[in-house]
Amino acid sequence: MKPEAVKRRFFTPGIIVLIIVALNGLVFLAVRFFSGLGAVTNLDNNTPWGLWIGVDVAAGVALAAGGFTSAALVYIFHREDFHDIARPALLTALLGYTFVAFAVFVDIGRFYYIWHPLVMWNGNSALFEVGICVMIYMTVLYIEFIPVITERFIGRVKLRGIFAAINKPLDSVLRFLDKGLSKVMFVFIISGVVLSTLHQSSLGTLMVIAGGKMHPLWQTPILPLLFLLSAIAVGLPMIIFESLLASRSFRIKPEMKILSNLGSMAAPAIGIYLAFKIGDMFVRETFKYISISDTASRFFIAELILMIIPLIMFLRKKTLSSSSSLFAASTFVIAAVLLNRINCFIEAYTPFYDPTVYNPSFGEISVTIGCMALLVVIYKAIVIIFPVISQGRTQQENLP
Amino acid sequence: MRKILYILVPLVLTFFLVITAALPQSGSEIQEVRARNTPEKSQINKVHDDPAVLNNSNLKCKTCHTSEYPTPKDPGLTDCPRENLVSVYQSPKEGPESVAIVEMSDKYTGVIFPHRVHAEMSEMSTGCAGCHHYNTSGPILNCRNCHEKSRNREDVSVPDLKAAFHRQCMSCHKQWSGENGCNSICHKRKDITKDNITSTNISKTHPELPEPGKITWETNSNINKTVTFFHDEHIKLFKIKCTSCHTSESCIRCHTPKVQSDLNKPVKIEKSIEEHHKPCINCHYGNKCTKCHSDKEMSPFDHGKTSGWVLSTYHKDLLCSGCHGNQMPYRKLGTKCVSCHRDFAAEFDHKLKGFTFSEAHSELECANCHVGKDFTKNPVCSDCHDDKSFPGDIPGEKPGK
Amino acid sequence: MRNLNRRNFLKTAAIGISAGALGTSSIKASDKSLSEDRIGILVDTDVCVGCRHCEWACRTAHEFPACDLEEYSDISVFEKYRRPDNTSLTVINQFENEKNPLLPIYVKVQCMHCEKPACVSACIVGALTKLEDGSVVWDDSKCIGCRYCMVACQFQIPTYDYDKAIDPHIWKCDLCRDRRIRDKLPACVEICPNEALVFGKRSEVLSIARKRIKRKPDVYVEHIYGENEIGGTSWMYIAGKSFDKLKMPPLGKETAPGISEAIQHGIFSYFVPPVALFALLGTLMWVNKHKRGESDTEIESTDPDKEESEF
């Protein structure tokens, strides 16, 4: 099957609602850029990082893991049967990382200095590594996406007016890119996977330096490994989730064969992650903190349960054959990883001097949700313009 | 030729004179320099012969000298503070009434320090050495002898002069409030020199301290909760000096902060059990707990109750030490007169008791009437005489006539 | 072996070049040594009277708005526990003294200038540096305002201008760098009436602290806070009360960035692991390609036309 542009109307009621949500976020963004972080966020000197880092950046990077897991699966392990999911996963990763980069831009105080890490290096800093890797990986993702653009526009560059003159050179540039890239693409694909493993794990290293300021249930030297494993575990369920969501909203028949195969592969990934997480808990004897019934222990238990349920589900044949069960199981995994990142960056962060408990403000939540909404809108726009989604037969054709 | 001799000889002479005059001069300069570096003999003696030094058993040569064989030229003294050698004591009256602290007047306004008040009160605390710390025996040193003027200095183990002054005052005057700023108490904004210590700012003596009578404490114990302490007895009766118990008093025991809310709070200083008992136990060592701890308030000292020997008229006015001697705690004396009045029998005049002996009695031995030599009980006539011969049979005047 | 690996990949992967440089730079940064004469400051809480003159001096020295010095003798501010912020880089807090309730204990709070500072290790752009003299200073021209230093600092010292949209600063004690260049003491040290802040060489100050505890064992607890805490700090404290009751975070001897840096250097040790991973994945890709897709002529392709031919 060849990926094609989806032929559907762009403006649906759903999209309009999403645009309104995005605009709401934009209002708070404007306030942040005119009056500073304090005006919008509930951050203070005791809690310097909040929702935007915990969810937008950390969870964003984790949930964009579909990109590198699918790339590894399709290109490195050469499972050509999964080829159809490569492009949608690439697009979500691309958009996901763009969203992460934007969130960083919003969250850092001197957003106009966002380029500083490129020239001012601190090799000891986990954040520096995350930053550099994310920057390079984003570039790699964009390069990986170029074939989609060339495919759409080669022979179809038709600019009007005074730009008509550059139609031809533009076309040849596209053709050159297409030819050249296909020869070196493997370098970018491998680098993409390497960079992902690096920064997915370093994202975990970020909080290691917080030391005793982080709740012992989460603070562990193997935090980077747990972050990497959880990213791998959430990669495939994320692809299943997006794929089912897209096929439902575009009324395309889901590729159940691919998806159930993916589902069966998700189980071991989740299993390994859980083994390390629970094993770490016993090695460091932190289970005693679970018996203390407080918010932290409840959040930790919730995180574990949300991960154990889909593990059991993915192991059952019944789940793998039903699209709704697959969707539910994937949602659980995503929720578990999302909660884990929130826990690690927000809930577990309990500094010595902290008179107030941090709760994200309405403004912070608005910006986060607004960005997510915008992401969905852009996703739809791109799949309408570019050949991303492989469509067998549409459901309408299937009906009779 | 002669002319030259006439000129040369005086010249040589004057030259010689000048040189001989100059030589001892330069010699004395050297001595002076040496004197500054090595202690003078008189100073050495002053330290070594000081009774405080001689009587201080903690003191060893090593306390001051690092070198094995100190000589006057090279005494090899250890760095100050030599804490074991602190022996400075002067009576408050010897010290100045007020001191103008103007050492750093180039930077700060001077301070007039009421020395005498503090000196007087210091007797109940650390004494002179509390402020004139590490002052070895001999004259009282100026702060700047040890404390450098500059804060930005090499050796920071000793506080600088500014800190030295402030610590002296502020280790006690630690209470701060809006009106209690630097300029309102010490650094009053005016030029202070040694000369303008006037009658207005001269130190006054400390007003007499109120002496408490009876003090009672409630302890946390379940039995024998109450401790009664008769302060007045200790002072008036036993003539114990304030300073023999009040050895480490803090000014704030009386000088509570001026913040209204704090006035009602009792000054309760957390002490260990040992610290609580320390002032009493020094003298009352070996007493039973119940000597002080009781289930109810104790009654004041009663010689009759405590010793079983009631003080009679004449004995009442005596000083305790008159019978018991100067050494405390007082030892129990015998109850018989002869325990004190050794030659009692020979000298005792019965007239003092309003009793006139008749001639018939004058030849009697004391023990004839005072049976068993018990002088506490007054013998009555009927002890010896039956009613036939007494009272009607008394020779001489009849009673009641 | 390492060089061989790298040489092979430098030819093919442009990323390898930048990555290699990155790896070596990280090694260099951790080798910086400290001067033997580096600064140490002892806070003798037994001597401090809580006059808050240091707060005034600090504000004045850093050109913060500071009211009249006289107003600092207002003791009502002690009712609330305070932390340094972007208006004051140091604050004094009052604690109850059980030994003598009328003479409370005062504890100054400011950047501790750690021997192995977490903020320096954490800073993404190296805007925070541990200077040879022991002080930890912030570079305005580098900082991007990510606030990771605040996350990393175990003493929760760096503070941020949350109210500023443009040019927000990270604020923390810089040991009065400007003043020390002019051979002056830090403002707080200079103004302290009692010299409760003993400024000198760290080694000397430490021995002074030990002597004071030894001389007055009934006054001080036997603990120099900052001697060993997270690998030692430039500011050290002695007090008559256990430090966890003076709201000083209970910290172990391990340096704050220790584990984090070990992980970082483990992952990036001379950039071997990433390059090795790259090589491994490349080999896997090649093997899998030839095992499964024998019909394919191209080594690798995302070309849709080629892909179409498979179906």
Side-chain angles (χ1 to χ4, degrees):
Chain A
M1 275 172 290
K2 185 181 151 100
E4 283 168 20
V6 177
K7 291 180 190 69
R8 292 203 69 84
R9 205 153 54 88
F10 179 69
F11 283 103
T12 52
I15 286 292
I16 288 164
V17 169
L18 289 175
I19 289 174
I20 290 167
V21 172
L23 283 176
N24 173 50
L26 206 66
V27 173
F28 286 100
L29 263 188
V31 179
R32 179 258 171 272
F33 281 108
F34 282 107
S35 307
L37 282 168
V40 180
T41 66
N42 274 351
L43 299 176
D44 55 27
N45 287 330
N46 302 312
T47 321
W49 281 2
L51 187 74
W52 289 348
I53 294 289
V55 172
D56 298 22
V57 176
V61 167
L63 298 185
F68 92 94
T69 40
S70 67
L73 206 58
V74 175
Y75 299 114
I76 291 173
F77 295 98
H78 215 78
R79 294 286 299 265
E80 283 293 342
D81 44 332
F82 294 132
H83 209 283
D84 287 356
I85 54 134
R87 272 198 187 173
L90 172 66
L91 178 61
T92 30
L94 178 86
L95 290 176
Y97 274 92
T98 314
F99 166 62
V100 167
F102 181 68
V104 169
F105 179 74
V106 172
D107 190 75
I108 64 169
R110 300 173 163 193
F111 45 87
Y112 40 88
Y113 282 161
I114 195 165
W115 52 271
H116 270 189
L118 283 174
V119 287
M120 298 161 188
W121 292 3
N122 178 12
N124 289 327
S125 169
L127 187 63
F128 171 72
E129 200 226 307
V130 172
I132 283 287
C133 283
V134 167
M135 278 195 209
I136 301 172
Y137 184 52
M138 244 175 78
T139 319
V140 168
L141 282 174
Y142 276 95
I143 292 170
E144 283 182 39
F145 198 70
I146 286 175
V148 182
I149 299 165
T150 55
E151 184 189 325
R152 166 72 175 79
F153 283 113
I154 283 177
R156 275 178 259 179
V157 184
K158 277 174 197 137
L159 292 172
R160 271 172 241 163
I162 49 162
F163 297 111
I166 57 161
N167 274 345
K168 237 199 162 137
L170 217 56
D171 192 63
S172 51
V173 164
L174 285 175
R175 275 170 204 282
F176 169 76
L177 274 178
D178 189 33
K179 278 253 168 60
L181 271 179
S182 65
K183 291 221 173 66
V184 292
M185 191 50 95
F186 78 99
V187 173
F188 292 111
I189 285 165
I190 301 174
S191 331
V193 176
V194 173
L195 288 165
S196 288
T197 47
L198 288 178
H199 74 252
Q200 290 283 7
S201 55
S202 287
L203 213 54
T205 322
L206 276 191
M207 294 310 279
V208 171
I209 205 168
K213 287 157 91 180
M214 206 177 162
H215 195 285
L217 274 174
W218 287 277
Q219 179 63 285
T220 158
I222 67 155
L223 206 55
L225 182 66
L226 290 179
F227 264 58
L228 178 64
L229 291 176
S230 60
I232 294 170
V234 81
L236 299 179
M238 194 67 199
I239 297 168
I240 299 172
F241 178 82
E242 291 155 9
S243 177
L244 286 171
L245 206 64
S247 53
R248 217 165 277 186
S249 82
F250 300 134
R251 300 211 179 81
I252 303 163
K253 191 173 177 247
E255 297 281 353
M256 278 311 290
K257 200 183 142 219
I258 297 179
L259 295 183
S260 54
N261 259 343
L262 285 176
S264 64
M265 278 191 268
I270 296 169
I272 293 169
Y273 166 62
L274 270 177
F276 272 94
K277 190 163 176 72
I278 295 170
D280 170 65
M281 189 174 85
F282 279 99
V283 168
R284 290 186 305 112
E285 294 176 0
T286 51
F287 43 81
K288 61 188 175 206
Y289 294 100
I290 295 181
S291 55
I292 307 164
S293 179
D294 57 355
T295 338
S297 69
R298 270 177 231 133
F299 270 73
F300 190 80
I301 291 166
E303 196 188 309
L304 282 183
I305 290 173
L306 280 174
M307 214 46 162
I308 292 166
I309 294 172
L311 175 67
I312 297 163
M313 286 177 83
F314 278 127
L315 285 173
R316 288 155 61 105
K317 280 250 156 60
K318 226 172 158 185
T319 317
L320 298 178
S321 58
S322 144
S323 70
S324 54
S325 306
L326 263 183
F327 187 77
S330 306
T331 315
F332 275 122
V333 181
I334 291 162
V337 172
L338 180 68
L339 185 62
N340 173 257
R341 298 304 191 263
I342 291 174
N343 280 345
C344 283
F345 282 84
I346 301 170
E347 178 57 34
Y349 191 77
T350 42
F352 188 75
Y353 312 100
D354 197 3
T356 53
V357 176
Y358 166 80
N359 283 310
S361 69
F362 182 70
E364 283 176 273
I365 297 169
S366 295
V367 170
T368 300
I369 292 179
C371 287
M372 286 177 181
L374 191 66
L375 220 58
V376 177
V377 174
I378 296 171
Y379 182 87
K380 187 172 181 185
I382 290 177
V383 296
I384 284 176
I385 299 166
F386 294 104
V388 175
I389 298 179
S390 305
Q391 316 162 53
R393 287 155 291 171
T394 57
Q395 272 183 344
Q396 280 115 328
E397 284 170 33
N398 240 7
L399 274 174
Chain B
M1 191 62 204
R2 228 176 226 190
K3 238 183 184 177
I4 299 167
L5 259 179
Y6 275 124
I7 300 164
L8 252 178
V9 168
L11 255 177
V12 168
L13 266 173
T14 46
F15 184 62
F16 186 70
L17 270 174
V18 164
I19 283 181
T20 45
L23 265 176
Q25 241 177 357
S26 58
S28 71
E29 248 172 47
I30 291 163
Q31 264 183 345
E32 236 173 68
V33 170
R34 191 179 293 151
R36 258 180 262 140
N37 287 336
T38 58
E40 255 175 78
K41 192 152 197 247
S42 62
Q43 205 186 328
I44 296 171
N45 290 341
K46 212 188 264 174
V47 174
H48 287 177
D49 300 340
D50 189 321
V53 175
L54 290 172
N55 298 334
N56 192 338
S57 56
N58 288 332
L59 225 53
K60 292 173 183 73
C61 303
K62 288 265 170 171
T63 313
C64 306
H65 302 280
T66 46
S67 62
E68 206 66 38
Y69 305 104
T71 59
K73 269 189 184 175
D74 181 20
L77 294 172
T78 52
D79 292 335
C80 286
R82 292 182 287 259
E83 285 157 68
N84 288 334
L85 200 59
V86 180
S87 68
V88 58
Y89 176 76
Q90 288 180 330
S91 126
K93 288 190 184 71
E94 282 180 72
E97 284 182 324
S98 289
V99 178
I101 302 168
V102 289
E103 305 282 344
M104 304 188 86
S105 54
D106 51 330
K107 276 184 176 172
Y108 311 100
T109 46
V111 174
I112 290 182
F113 170 63
H115 181 267
R116 184 154 292 168
V117 180
H118 288 83
E120 281 171 340
M121 283 300 108
S122 78
E123 298 207 294
M124 296 225 279
S125 178
T126 50
C128 305
C131 297
H132 300 282
H133 54 190
Y134 313 130
N135 203 124
T136 55
S137 51
I140 284 178
L141 299 172
N142 196 306
C143 301
R144 67 170 173 272
N145 285 28
C146 303
H147 298 279
E148 275 182 70
K149 233 178 163 183
S150 163
R151 182 154 292 184
N152 199 355
R153 62 198 188 279
E154 269 300 303
D155 179 20
V156 285
S157 58
V158 177
D160 69 352
L161 195 55
K162 173 184 168 186
F165 283 135
H166 278 126
R167 283 189 194 184
Q168 291 293 15
C169 305
M170 300 215 292
S171 54
C172 295
H173 296 275
K174 220 172 182 179
Q175 304 296 330
W176 294 90
S177 71
E179 316 87 62
N180 261 359
C182 314
N183 294 331
S184 55
I185 301 176
C186 300
H187 299 274
K188 290 177 183 164
R189 287 189 196 278
K190 49 179 150 170
D191 297 327
I192 285 178
T193 62
K194 280 192 177 112
D195 301 328
N196 62 16
I197 301 176
T198 58
S199 56
T200 50
N201 54 23
I202 199 159
S203 171
K204 293 177 180 71
T205 50
H206 196 281
E208 208 153 293
L209 294 172
E211 282 162 15
K214 180 177 69 180
I215 305 168
T216 53
W217 290 283
E218 292 293 311
T219 63
N220 295 327
S221 148
N222 289 328
I223 46 157
N224 292 342
K225 269 179 98 92
T226 314
V227 174
T228 323
F229 173 66
F230 292 91
H231 190 273
D232 47 357
E233 284 173 4
H234 282 78
I235 295 177
K236 293 201 179 98
L237 205 54
F238 308 136
K239 304 286 175 196
I240 296 170
K241 273 187 187 169
C242 306
T243 50
S244 47
C245 295
H246 297 275
T247 51
S248 56
E249 283 310 333
S250 170
C251 309
I252 54 161
R253 277 289 291 273
C254 306
H255 297 270
T256 46
K258 298 200 170 65
V259 185
Q260 195 56 42
S261 60
D262 286 357
L263 273 177
N264 299 329
K265 280 189 216 157
V267 183
K268 203 175 177 191
I269 293 167
E270 204 173 86
K271 283 180 181 168
S272 63
I273 289 184
E274 286 77 20
E275 281 174 304
H276 266 301
H277 288 91
K278 211 176 158 188
C280 304
I281 216 108
N282 276 348
C283 304
H284 294 277
Y285 186 77
N287 282 131
K288 280 181 188 159
C289 302
T290 46
K291 168 109 184 163
C292 308
H293 294 267
S294 165
D295 52 350
K296 60 179 190 297
E297 219 170 88
M298 287 178 175
S299 43
F301 176 75
D302 183 333
H303 202 278
K305 264 191 192 171
T306 315
S307 65
W309 196 74
V310 183
L311 291 178
S312 57
T313 334
Y314 298 102
H315 289 103
K316 254 181 199 162
D317 300 331
L318 292 173
L319 286 177
C320 304
S321 59
C323 303
H324 292 278
N326 279 322
Q327 203 184 340
M328 286 207 185
Y330 295 139
R331 274 185 316 116
K332 198 164 184 168
L333 302 172
T335 49
K336 293 169 183 169
C337 304
V338 282
S339 347
C340 300
H341 307 282
R342 295 273 159 79
D343 43 359
F344 181 70
E347 275 187 17
F348 189 73
D349 184 359
H350 279 83
K351 271 180 194 162
L352 286 169
K353 277 287 198 178
F355 184 76
T356 325
F357 278 140
S358 62
E359 271 170 54
H361 287 94
S362 60
E363 294 299 312
L364 290 173
E365 290 287 313
C366 302
N368 288 8
C369 301
H370 298 280
V371 183
K373 279 199 172 183
D374 182 5
F375 296 96
T376 51
K377 233 161 80 188
N378 290 342
V380 282
C381 304
S382 58
D383 287 350
C384 304
H385 306 277
D386 58 23
D387 47 350
K388 266 186 188 167
S389 55
F390 173 79
D393 206 19
I394 292 172
E397 269 183 80
K398 289 201 182 263
K401 276 186 186 174
Chain C
M1 184 64 202
R2 188 190 76 218
N3 289 336
L4 196 76
N5 255 346
R6 193 188 277 180
R7 204 183 305 139
N8 285 342
F9 275 91
L10 285 177
K11 285 178 189 166
T12 48
I15 292 144
I17 300 169
S18 61
L22 200 152
T24 44
S25 87
S26 75
I27 299 306
K28 249 182 233 162
S30 64
D31 278 344
K32 213 170 176 185
S33 58
L34 288 168
S35 157
E36 279 294 305
D37 294 343
R38 61 185 180 277
I39 295 165
I41 303 179
L42 176 70
V43 183
D44 190 339
T45 57
D46 183 52
V47 179
C48 177
V49 291
C51 68
R52 293 173 62 224
H53 284 194
C54 49
E55 288 183 26
W56 177 87
C58 180
R59 281 194 176 138
T60 315
H62 291 89
E63 286 162 8
F64 285 145
C67 50
D68 218 33
L69 184 58
E70 292 281 294
E71 287 170 44
Y72 280 74
S73 45
D74 175 18
I75 55 165
S76 64
V77 292
F78 290 133
E79 282 158 20
K80 223 174 77 186
Y81 180 78
R82 299 180 303 147
R83 297 286 304 160
D85 58 18
N86 58 353
T87 61
S88 186
L89 307 185
T90 185
V91 290
I92 299 263
N93 283 301
Q94 180 179 283
F95 293 91
E96 203 183 311
N97 181 3
E98 284 83 8
K99 288 182 191 161
N100 189 341
L102 286 173
L103 301 179
I105 299 172
Y106 298 97
V107 180
K108 184 176 183 287
V109 187
Q110 76 295 309
C111 172
M112 301 286 283
H113 296 269
C114 305
E115 297 272 273
K116 294 270 183 295
C119 57
V120 171
S121 167
C123 183
I124 182 168
V125 287
L128 286 152
T129 6
K130 175 89 176 162
L131 299 181
E132 207 194 349
D133 66 8
S135 60
V136 177
V137 292
W138 174 79
D139 186 346
D140 187 14
S141 66
K142 284 184 175 175
C143 180
I144 65 166
C146 71
R147 308 184 300 289
Y148 189 34
C149 49
M150 297 166 73
V151 174
C153 178
Q154 292 301 306
F155 300 100
Q156 287 173 259
I157 287 302
T159 60
Y160 175 79
D161 288 326
Y162 281 102
D163 51 341
K164 280 171 112 178
I166 298 293
D167 199 31
H169 280 52
I170 290 289
W171 290 107
K172 67 165 212 72
C173 162
D174 59 351
L175 274 181
C176 286
R177 201 182 174 196
D178 294 345
R179 288 172 58 90
R180 282 186 298 112
I181 287 167
R182 286 177 279 132
D183 208 29
K184 279 175 148 183
L185 290 170
C188 55
V189 174
E190 189 172 280
I191 202 164
C192 182
N194 273 14
E195 205 174 9
L197 314 173
V198 184
F199 181 95
K201 293 173 190 166
R202 189 174 188 270
S203 50
E204 277 178 24
V205 163
L206 202 54
S207 71
I208 290 171
R210 286 203 195 97
K211 266 184 207 155
R212 287 193 187 178
I213 292 175
K214 203 179 158 194
R215 198 184 297 160
K216 293 189 198 166
D218 51 329
V219 170
Y220 298 108
V221 293
E222 202 169 333
H223 180 187
I224 303 170
Y225 190 93
E227 183 185 9
N228 296 315
E229 269 74 11
I230 56 165
T233 55
S234 299
W235 284 76
M236 289 166 283
Y237 292 73
I238 50 175
K241 198 173 167 181
S242 156
F243 284 99
D244 45 345
K245 285 181 190 152
L246 300 173
K247 286 212 177 190
M248 302 292 266
L251 298 167
K253 284 184 179 182
E254 308 82 41
T255 64
I259 302 169
S260 160
E261 281 189 12
I263 294 169
Q264 276 303 101
H265 293 306
I267 294 174
F268 281 95
S269 55
Y270 296 96
F271 232 74
V272 172
V275 172
L277 183 64
F278 193 98
L280 178 75
L281 291 177
T283 321
L284 264 178
M285 194 173 182
W286 190 82
V287 168
N288 284 328
K289 181 82 202 168
H290 286 260
K291 203 169 68 188
R292 293 172 199 263
E294 276 161 353
S295 60
D296 286 12
T297 43
E298 285 276 321
I299 291 173
E300 183 48 50
S301 168
T302 48
D303 191 329
D305 295 331
K306 292 279 158 31
E307 276 161 23
E308 202 189 18
S309 66
E310 289 177 43
F311 295 91

